[in-house]
Amino acid sequence: MQDRSCYKLTQEGERLFRMQKYEQGIDLLKKALEVGTDDFSLLSAIYCQLGNAHTMLKDYEQALKFHTYDILVERLIGNKPGEAKSCANLGNIFKMKGAYNDALTFTFKQLDFAEELGDKVLKSRAYYNIATIYVERGRCTKLEAAEERNDAKNDEAQSDFENAAKYFKLNLEVAEALDDPLTMGRCYGSLGNTFYCLGDYDQSIEFHKRRLELSQQYGDRASMRRAHANIANCHALKSNMPLAIQHYKLAYNLATEIGNKTEEAQMAYSLANALYIGKEVQKAITYFQRHLKIARSLEDISGQLRSCYSLALSFNNLCERRKALYYLVLAKRNSLQVNDTSAILDIDNLLHEILEAGQENVLIDDIELIIDQSADPAPAEIEHRELRLTFFQKRNINDRPVNTPEDPLAEDRYEKEEFFDMLAKLQSKRMNDQRVDASVLNANIDFRVRQTDTEPDNSSTDGSEVLIDLILNAQERRMDDQRAPFLPGLNPNGQIILRRLNTDQGNEELDDHLVEWLMRVQSQRLDEQRSELPPIKPEGQEELDKKKEEDVTAIVMRMQAGRLEDQRAHLPTIPTSKN
């Protein structure tokens, strides 16, 4: 009766997960654990589902905890396919946390199981998982290398991309042997992206074309759009703008047919940039305006900022400066709303350029901008204060220009002085004939192809306490002759079964191996937290013998001594009264 109730709660929880009601599903599965069961397979399923649900909610600490319970259960009952599945889940979570070394440890373990079991499908998945970890680590390292100008890190990134290509190719070989077109298409696209990261654009185009051909055979328009966009990116970086424009147009048309507004906006913006660089500025304006229209409908302030700034650049390129200033005012407004300091600097530079080109046509009394809204199909309302030069001095939305007088007449004088100061600074810093195209390339074009956006924690190991706490719990229970279980949701009958498993010599060895393996995964983090043991003196042989007899638990606790000391609270000293 108890097992049946636990099973029903689990079924209902899984139904809620399919409806993407993760919090409600988690509550039900936790109730199932409170009811309890002696069915280890059901217990494993509950742990796995809870881990997956917490992953979807980006609660990676809880996800790690439940997937670790899952792998413990699978190891105890000797289910190697289930253990391989748990390794894949743990590897995926560590990857999302940016703990790439730990992710590789578990994913290579998944590959070991696949080879041991002779399971080609499992091997294909393991190859793919390993490759994606190398790609993500390579991208993070590449960004760090660019920021730090570190050649050694750049070499590390290249090595990661090369390893990714190696495992994607192994994945492709297995997929071709299994005649699995879905996996083959995914491999083609992934290899194209990897060679893009390596800077080998010809190879990247070749694999994306294979992806395109396969997608066309099956009528997969979403994959066709991605393939055209990726091919266009490569041609753009090869400075082959006619071919880039051709593929961007095909990608834009497919996005429009599919009806995905976000992708349609993305393709319109990419196409507009390609047209601008290709000197087709008037056509570029059309697509920038389409991007702006969608960004407004989606209330995407950052998207509106990109569109408005690009339109300001485009109209300035056509010498229609009042139209350029209209869009520049909107871009300034958007940049303050999202607090984009980089965009604010770009806007300042473009304003200086427009004013230098002919302030007599765009300024009233040297303090107020003259704008033209006619190019905007849906003109935005502009406040009078946004037309004054002081508006462009703001660095955040609550700013008031420093030293601005309260008296309106004095403010006019102040703005005139600021205008002449601005021109003087411009003349001292300006580099002739290099500004407009460079601004578009640097500020607007971003052809990097990304698979996922992660927030790495800049560490090679996981920062959670989940696994080490489980290890400590396991070791504490090894001190107990009763071998009490440490798996939540296991009812008394299940505890009896677990004790029998633990008293069997073979399973005892299995349990020891599991603990040692989990500790090895965490070895890097333990090393960082380790307190040095005191030196062993020759005459202290008696003390040495005593240490050899200590249980493993005491050693682990000593490793954690530094961490525990940092968390310790001390009682205040109470002065003794003198009689």
Side-chain angles (χ1 to χ4, degrees):
M1 183 69 180
Q2 194 178 42
D3 274 354
R4 191 182 307 166
S5 177
C6 180
Y7 181 72
K8 286 182 177 179
L9 285 168
T10 303
Q11 278 189 317
E12 180 62 16
E14 290 179 340
R15 186 185 69 82
L16 290 170
F17 289 154
R18 288 192 292 272
M19 298 169 63
Q20 299 184 357
K21 297 180 179 180
Y22 299 112
E23 291 91 346
Q24 294 171 316
I26 287 170
D27 289 341
L28 276 182
L29 288 192
K30 285 185 176 179
K31 287 180 182 177
L33 290 178
E34 290 173 8
V35 171
T37 180
D38 59 7
D39 184 339
F40 284 87
S41 296
L42 177 58
L43 198 61
S44 171
I46 294 172
Y47 292 152
C48 183
Q49 291 289 347
L50 280 168
N52 291 339
H54 282 294
T55 301
M56 296 303 295
L57 295 174
K58 298 185 179 180
D59 185 352
Y60 299 130
E61 301 303 322
Q62 287 296 309
L64 277 173
K65 182 177 79 172
F66 284 109
H67 280 308
T68 304
Y69 283 140
D70 186 23
I71 200 172
L72 290 169
V73 171
E74 301 290 12
R75 174 61 67 90
L76 284 168
I77 64 178
N79 181 9
K80 290 186 177 181
E83 196 171 342
K85 168 208 68 182
S86 299
C87 286
N89 288 332
L90 285 166
N92 187 48
I93 295 167
F94 280 122
K95 181 181 75 172
M96 288 187 283
K97 285 174 64 63
Y100 301 114
N101 290 350
D102 288 346
L104 286 171
T105 297
F106 280 100
T107 312
F108 273 113
K109 191 68 179 175
Q110 178 193 9
L111 181 58
D112 290 342
F113 281 120
E115 291 175 342
E116 182 182 347
L117 296 167
D119 188 331
K120 291 184 178 180
V121 174
L122 183 58
K123 183 185 285 189
S124 175
R125 291 172 183 167
Y127 283 144
Y128 182 80
N129 290 340
I130 291 168
T132 58
I133 295 167
Y134 277 123
V135 167
E136 290 303 322
R137 189 170 73 176
R139 282 176 175 156
C140 289
T141 308
K142 189 83 172 178
L143 288 173
E144 290 173 6
E147 290 172 1
E148 300 171 12
R149 298 183 180 178
N150 188 323
D151 291 338
K153 282 193 174 182
N154 192 60
D155 292 340
E156 289 176 17
Q158 290 294 103
S159 177
D160 278 340
F161 292 137
E162 288 167 2
N163 280 324
K166 169 187 170 183
Y167 283 99
F168 278 134
K169 286 180 178 178
L170 289 170
N171 185 201
L172 180 59
E173 288 175 10
V174 177
E176 288 174 340
L178 295 172
D179 192 23
D180 180 358
L182 181 64
T183 302
M184 287 166 59
R186 184 178 62 185
C187 287
Y188 290 144
S190 298
L191 279 164
N193 291 340
T194 304
F195 280 109
Y196 178 95
C197 292
L198 284 166
D200 189 343
Y201 302 124
D202 290 328
Q203 275 277 67
S204 180
I205 289 170
E206 177 62 29
F207 280 108
H208 283 308
K209 282 184 175 179
R210 292 189 199 178
R211 172 63 160 162
L212 179 60
E213 290 170 4
L214 197 61
S215 301
Q216 289 171 335
Q217 289 178 24
Y218 290 91
D220 184 350
R221 291 187 297 174
S223 296
M224 289 164 60
R225 184 205 64 77
R226 287 194 297 271
H228 279 301
N230 289 329
I231 292 169
N233 291 340
C234 292
H235 283 303
L237 289 176
K238 292 182 66 176
S239 299
N240 190 341
M241 299 316 298
L243 276 177
I245 290 168
Q246 176 185 328
H247 283 282
Y248 279 134
K249 281 182 177 178
L250 291 168
Y252 172 78
N253 291 337
L254 284 165
T256 304
E257 290 173 16
I258 294 168
N260 186 317
K261 289 296 180 183
T262 302
E263 291 179 354
E264 183 182 344
Q266 179 187 348
M267 291 301 97
Y269 188 73
S270 296
L271 175 56
N273 278 320
L275 289 165
Y276 185 97
I277 295 171
K279 307 301 181 183
E280 299 182 53
V281 180
Q282 198 62 57
K283 290 182 180 179
I285 288 172
T286 300
Y287 287 97
F288 281 133
Q289 287 176 330
R290 291 184 188 182
H291 178 266
L292 177 60
K293 180 180 179 181
I294 298 172
R296 283 171 170 171
S297 69
L298 297 175
E299 298 183 350
D300 177 5
I301 304 300
S302 295
Q304 293 176 50
L305 167 58
R306 290 193 298 274
S307 297
C308 289
Y309 180 73
S310 299
L311 284 163
L313 277 174
S314 301
F315 280 113
N316 185 52
N317 184 275
L318 296 175
C319 297
E320 297 185 53
R321 294 189 175 86
R322 292 184 180 184
K323 291 178 181 178
L325 285 172
Y326 163 71
Y327 283 109
L328 199 62
V329 169
L330 296 182
K332 179 67 177 185
R333 178 196 293 175
N334 297 146
S335 68
L336 294 174
Q337 288 174 316
V338 297
N339 194 29
D340 188 333
T341 55
S342 176
I344 289 171
L345 291 175
D346 291 334
I347 290 166
D348 287 346
N349 289 335
L350 183 54
L351 176 64
H352 292 168
E353 181 173 322
I354 293 171
L355 294 178
E356 185 193 41
Q359 65 267 24
E360 67 279 359
N361 296 319
V362 294
L363 278 177
I364 300 173
D365 295 333
D366 293 336
I367 59 171
E368 187 173 315
L369 298 174
I370 304 173
I371 62 171
D372 180 356
Q373 300 175 295
S374 63
D376 190 348
E381 291 186 12
I382 304 292
E383 296 182 24
H384 185 262
R385 64 177 181 83
E386 294 176 318
L387 298 177
R388 303 178 80 84
L389 287 178
T390 48
F391 175 65
F392 284 84
Q393 296 168 358
K394 291 167 71 74
R395 287 298 175 264
N396 62 67
I397 202 161
N398 297 317
D399 241 357
R400 177 178 175 83
V402 180
N403 298 327
T404 303
E406 296 297 331
D407 175 38
L409 294 177
E411 183 175 344
D412 286 349
R413 291 193 299 274
Y414 168 79
E415 288 180 334
K416 288 180 181 181
E417 291 170 3
E418 285 295 305
F419 169 68
F420 289 118
D421 287 344
M422 180 175 61
L423 287 183
K425 290 177 183 178
L426 176 65
Q427 294 295 343
S428 65
K429 294 179 181 179
R430 178 173 171 79
M431 297 178 66
N432 290 328
D433 300 325
Q434 295 181 1
R435 190 174 301 276
V436 177
D437 287 347
S439 298
V440 176
L441 286 170
N442 293 331
N444 290 296
I445 306 295
D446 185 2
F447 291 120
R448 290 175 294 177
V449 180
R450 300 181 297 168
Q451 292 176 337
T452 59
D453 291 320
T454 59
E455 293 290 337
D457 62 1
N458 297 321
S459 65
S460 61
T461 56
D462 171 43
S464 73
E465 304 300 324
V466 175
L467 292 179
I468 191 62
D469 287 344
L470 286 170
I471 293 168
L472 288 171
N473 289 340
Q475 296 292 352
E476 288 168 7
R477 284 159 176 79
R478 291 177 65 189
M479 297 286 291
D480 186 353
D481 292 335
Q482 297 299 315
R483 307 284 297 181
F486 52 94
L487 298 171
L490 196 63
N491 66 15
N493 289 335
Q495 293 175 17
I496 294 170
I497 296 170
L498 182 59
R499 280 197 289 270
R500 288 175 182 170
L501 286 171
N502 285 332
T503 54
D504 179 80
Q505 187 174 358
N507 285 312
E508 175 73 25
E509 185 177 331
L510 194 66
D511 184 56
D512 287 344
H513 178 69
L514 173 61
V515 172
E516 289 169 8
W517 174 46
L518 291 174
M519 288 183 70
R520 189 163 59 251
V521 171
Q522 293 299 311
S523 61
Q524 268 190 286
R525 185 162 64 90
L526 290 172
D527 285 338
E528 292 173 0
Q529 299 176 349
R530 195 183 305 278
S531 298
E532 293 294 332
L533 293 173
I536 300 172
K537 300 179 180 179
E539 61 272 14
Q541 189 62 40
E542 187 175 332
E543 182 182 354
L544 177 60
D545 292 338
K546 183 179 178 182
K547 286 181 180 178
K548 287 182 179 178
E549 294 172 359
E550 288 179 343
D551 190 83
V552 176
T553 304
I555 297 174
V556 176
M557 291 298 291
R558 189 157 56 252
M559 291 175 183
Q560 298 297 311
R563 182 167 63 91
L564 293 171
E565 191 60 38
D566 291 339
Q567 298 172 354
R568 197 181 303 280
H570 299 281
L571 293 172
T573 303
I574 303 174
T576 56
S577 59
K578 295 181 180 180
N579 295 327

